Structures are given as C-alpha cells and as structure tokens.
Amino acid sequence: NQEIAALIEQGMVDRIEATKPYAGRIVVIGDVPRLKFDPSVISERGATLADGLSDPQGRSMQMRRAVKAAVDETGVDYVDSKQWFCAYDKCPVVVGDYITHRDRGHMTLEYGRTLSGPLARALGLS
C-alpha cells in the first residue's frame, strides 16, 4: 500500500504541475471516504442506523493522505469531502434524510445534490 500511495502522490504532483500553466486556480476535492461494508446493510430487516455506521476504510484514508500530500507540495487548494461523510472518525450511511453511499466508495446522486451549497462555500463561491 505504501508503494501505491507514493505512486498516487507523485502522479497527482505531476498532473497538478502540468495543469498549473493553464489554470487560474486548481482545486482538488478529496475522494469520498470508503466504507468498510456495503451500505445496503441498512436495508436489511431489523437493521438500525447504528448498523450503518462505519469506520472509514484504512487504505482509502491512506490514499486520501497521499493526494493531500501532493496538494500540500504543489500549493493548490484542497477541499476535504470527509467533512460531509464522517464525524468523529465514523461515517454514517444515513445523514439527515439521505443515504450517503450507493456502494462502499461512491456517493449517491441524491446526497451529492445536497452538497452543492456546502461545496460552493468551501470553494468561496457563495
């Protein structure tokens, strides 16, 4: 995993540096933290919201740190998506009235739509 993280970090640095001459601003949005289990578990009979509470997958967090290190090295802007998916290092599958993940690593379109305002604020666009 360490070798893969190093490759991801260097690849991101290379991509960002190659893009800088053509962009007024570069913002990297961190990946959605992957869950340790499939979120469909909450639809099982007798499941509670507690059954939909996951630690973020360790490898996912390691790769996110590699991307953040590339951002820090290149000096571009970064928005951490984890703030909208996890709190106190736990990631619930349900936030408010929305299911956050359609599988272990991808957000639902419905939840994604609710993030337009928070993302705009994080980008300084509102």
Side-chain angles (χ1 to χ4, degrees), residues 20-42:
K20 274 184 172 181
Y22 307 102
R25 179 183 184 198
I26 297 173
V27 178
V28 175
I29 301 172
D31 282 343
V32 172
R34 290 183 63 83
L35 302 175
K36 287 189 172 182
F37 57 81
D38 191 292
S40 65
V41 70
I42 63 165

Side-chain angles (χ1 to χ4, degrees), residues 65-93:
R65 285 190 297 274
V67 169
K68 180 65 167 86
V71 166
D72 291 345
E73 183 176 333
T74 56
V76 299
D77 294 329
Y78 180 76
V79 175
D80 188 358
S81 66
K82 185 180 175 197
Q83 64 185 309
W84 301 309
F85 291 89
C86 305
Y88 306 106
D89 292 321
K90 296 289 184 189
C91 306
V93 174

Side-chain angles (χ1 to χ4, degrees), residues 6-116:
L7 289 171
I8 287 175
E9 181 179 341
Q10 188 57 56
M12 286 296 298
V13 167
D14 292 347
R15 180 62 56 165
I16 291 166
E17 292 297 343
T19 306
K20 274 184 172 181
Y22 307 102
R25 179 183 184 198
I26 297 173
V27 178
V28 175
I29 301 172
D31 282 343
V32 172
R34 290 183 63 83
L35 302 175
K36 287 189 172 182
F37 57 81
D38 191 292
S40 65
V41 70
I42 63 165
S43 64
E44 294 175 2
R45 185 174 209 67
T48 67
L49 290 177
D51 295 319
L53 194 60
S54 176
D55 295 323
Q57 186 187 61
R59 184 174 186 273
S60 166
M61 299 310 289
Q62 181 181 19
M63 299 309 139
R64 286 170 41 83
R65 285 190 297 274
V67 169
K68 180 65 167 86
V71 166
D72 291 345
E73 183 176 333
T74 56
V76 299
D77 294 329
Y78 180 76
V79 175
D80 188 358
S81 66
K82 185 180 175 197
Q83 64 185 309
W84 301 309
F85 291 89
C86 305
Y88 306 106
D89 292 321
K90 296 289 184 189
C91 306
V93 174
V94 177
V95 172
D97 294 331
Y98 296 92
I99 296 174
T100 60
H101 288 70
R102 64 179 167 91
D103 57 28
R104 291 176 191 235
H106 298 92
M107 79 174 112
T108 62
L109 294 174
E110 296 78 10
Y111 187 61
R113 284 187 198 103
T114 71
L115 299 178
S116 63

